[in-house]
Amino acid sequence: MRRLAGLAALALAVAAPVASEPPEWRPVDAATGQWREVEALEALAEDFPDSGSVRLRLLQPLIASGEGARVLEVLHWLEERGYVFSPAAREQIPRLIGEKHAGPAKALLLPDADPITASEVVARVPAQAGLVESVFASPDLSTVIATSVTRKALWVREDGNWRKVSFPGANDLSGIAQDTKRNIRWVASSDIDESGGDGDLFNGVIGSSPLIAAPLHIAVPAGVTLSDIAVDEAGTVFASDPLGGGIYRAAIGESAFSPLVEPGTFRSPQGLAPSADGARLFVSDYRYGLAMIHLASGEVSRLASDVPAILDGIDGLWLHGAELIAVQNGTSPMRISALALSADGSRITGVRVLEQAHPKWTEPLGGSIADGALVYVGTGHWRDYVAGELVEGRETKPTEIRRLPLGSARGR
């Protein structure tokens, strides 16, 4: 779910030194979103050194204060990580920075990114489904299930035919996750498009299975809006609130979520990926980067990177072997990356760009991993809707579902 525009910035740091303790994750008040003072933003960049959005926010005040050399540092940081500005920005920045620094600035502004196209279309969700947020697919693709935000229903393809599946009282449906051991499929139900609507609609997650007669419901506290969900080996369901900034969990058999991380800890938490050993939960905070929650204590720390990387702008997040697979629709170019984890899982040690700037994308969104491939939404339509309604002049469109082979891990 892309809720925040990817901005970004830099601090001419190359590989971060390996720390003996994971860096602390510092909660950020929402008011910092309005900060423009260079000192405050530089402090924020120290706390979140792999956030492109923080670095980008530094550019305007640095340019305004005539700090040309420091602007070049930010541009160098972004260029090293493959950030591409729009054509308009590439024209304006050298002009704004001043004649002395215009030439070096131009050299640091990358041209349009070369597309990397490695996926194929495996399904098209009918236009009647409206705004599709995520998709689950069986390994052989015989079953494909898409969640609809605006229709508050699932679209299920079996035997090549699509059918609509509704749950009584469901709200907008977004994240979807499969508990394979217990054959339960969970889907998030919340007012994720902020359309308001009927206050009696269910907020939480809904579980369904051929083994149970009626859907299961796990409710969230009042005022919580769920988006992404994940299930660990023990059957625990985790859910993120991108509007309130909290993370919630419910053990198997429970009917209500409890806070794992209090609201306000994150700015906009989205993708979730439980570690294989059940000890940690990896979280993508859309504006600031990657974090990990130590499940025994609830402690939150930052997932540091040993290599130059942009770790914000991540929507979907999954663990695949020793890599985190990240759909980055909040950076430029949009891309899908494989982030190699250190042996102890506390750092990023390498980055593979699996796909980027695909000419058929609108924006990539959520999906699922099976049989060594990510099946994901390739043509997200969030920009066509406001508060659950089509923008004037737009029309509903089919949604392309793509399959991307993940290959073997090789860092860079």
Side-chain angles (χ1 to χ4, degrees):
M1 185 186 88
R2 184 184 177 199
R3 304 292 305 180
L4 297 171
L7 300 175
L10 145 88
L12 202 61
V14 207
V18 176
S20 56
E21 295 291 335
E24 182 182 356
W25 185 275
R26 300 181 185 275
V28 181
D29 189 274
T32 58
Q34 305 302 316
W35 284 3
R36 288 296 179 267
E37 298 86 353
V38 170
E39 295 81 6
L41 286 168
E42 287 182 333
L44 202 59
E46 278 191 32
D47 286 340
F48 304 103
D50 302 304
S51 168
S53 63
V54 173
R55 296 303 198 283
L56 283 172
R57 289 159 63 191
L58 262 170
L59 284 178
Q60 184 176 339
L62 286 175
I63 290 173
S65 58
E67 299 278 356
R70 293 167 76 186
V71 170
L72 292 179
E73 290 180 355
V74 174
L75 294 179
H76 173 71
W77 188 97
L78 292 167
E79 182 266 346
E80 187 176 32
R81 289 155 178 81
Y83 188 87
V84 175
F85 286 90
S86 68
R90 296 201 296 267
E91 181 182 340
Q92 291 172 0
I93 290 173
R95 198 166 62 238
L96 293 172
I97 197 175
E99 186 176 345
K100 178 181 178 181
H101 301 289
K106 283 182 181 180
L108 293 170
L109 296 172
L110 295 174
D112 291 339
D114 292 328
I116 299 175
T117 58
S119 63
E120 62 175 340
V121 175
V122 293
R124 286 181 175 85
V125 187
Q128 304 94 284
L131 177 55
V132 170
E133 167 62 16
S134 192
V135 64
F136 166 82
S138 61
D140 63 0
L141 299 176
S142 61
T143 299
V144 177
I145 303 173
T147 63
S148 171
V149 173
T150 50
R151 300 294 186 262
K152 300 176 174 28
L154 300 177
W155 254 255
V156 180
R157 190 190 74 174
E158 293 173 317
D159 302 321
N161 299 311
W162 290 96
R163 60 188 174 91
K164 179 182 178 182
V165 176
S166 299
F167 299 106
N171 212 322
D172 309 340
L173 300 187
S174 55
I176 186 170
Q178 179 82 5
D179 183 344
T180 53
K181 281 190 175 180
R182 297 155 193 85
N183 197 19
I184 301 174
R185 187 169 299 125
W186 296 101
V187 60
S189 168
S190 279
D191 182 26
I192 203 67
D193 64 4
E194 301 179 87
S195 58
D198 190 342
D200 292 331
L201 296 178
F202 177 72
N203 289 314
V205 299
I206 301 172
S208 60
S209 168
L211 304 179
I212 56 177
L216 305 171
H217 290 76
I218 307 176
V220 289
V224 173
T225 302
L226 299 186
S227 173
D228 288 70
I229 60 175
V231 184
D232 70 6
E233 288 292 311
T236 300
V237 182
F238 300 94
S240 59
D241 177 0
L243 305 183
I247 306 293
Y248 299 83
R249 69 176 165 186
I252 187 167
E254 293 183 329
S255 60
F257 279 98
S258 56
L260 171 61
V261 172
E262 293 296 329
T265 302
F266 297 106
R267 182 69 186 279
S268 182
Q270 303 209 15
L272 305 170
S275 64
D277 61 6
R280 286 159 297 166
L281 179 69
F282 298 105
V283 180
S284 64
D285 191 332
Y286 201 75
R287 181 63 65 87
Y288 292 122
L290 289 174
M292 46 183 182
I293 303 171
H294 303 265
L295 295 175
S297 64
E299 176 191 355
V300 182
S301 57
R302 179 170 54 78
L303 196 61
S305 181
D306 295 348
V307 296
I310 289 179
L311 298 182
D312 62 331
I314 295 175
D315 190 337
L317 187 71
W318 304 267
L319 183 65
H320 178 64
E323 293 180 315
L324 287 169
I325 305 302
V327 171
Q328 293 187 274
N329 58 24
T331 189
S332 177
M334 292 189 286
R335 60 194 175 202
I336 299 177
S337 303
L339 310 172
L341 289 166
S342 60
D344 64 1
S346 67
R347 304 183 319 281
I348 299 299
T349 59
V351 178
R352 292 190 296 138
V353 178
L354 303 176
E355 200 160 32
Q356 75 174 13
H358 198 299
K360 299 294 186 181
W361 282 350
T362 52
E363 59 176 348
L365 295 173
S368 62
I369 291 178
D371 196 27
L374 172 68
V375 178
Y376 69 95
V377 175
T379 53
H381 298 306
W382 275 96
R383 66 192 67 184
D384 293 334
Y385 292 82
V386 173
E389 299 292 333
L390 270 172
V391 174
E392 187 176 355
R394 308 282 175 85
E395 60 183 10
T396 56
K397 308 179 187 73
T399 300
E400 287 190 348
I401 307 302
R402 308 189 73 91
R403 182 182 185 274
L404 173 65
L406 299 177
S408 58
R410 8 172 247 285
R412 74 167 171 84

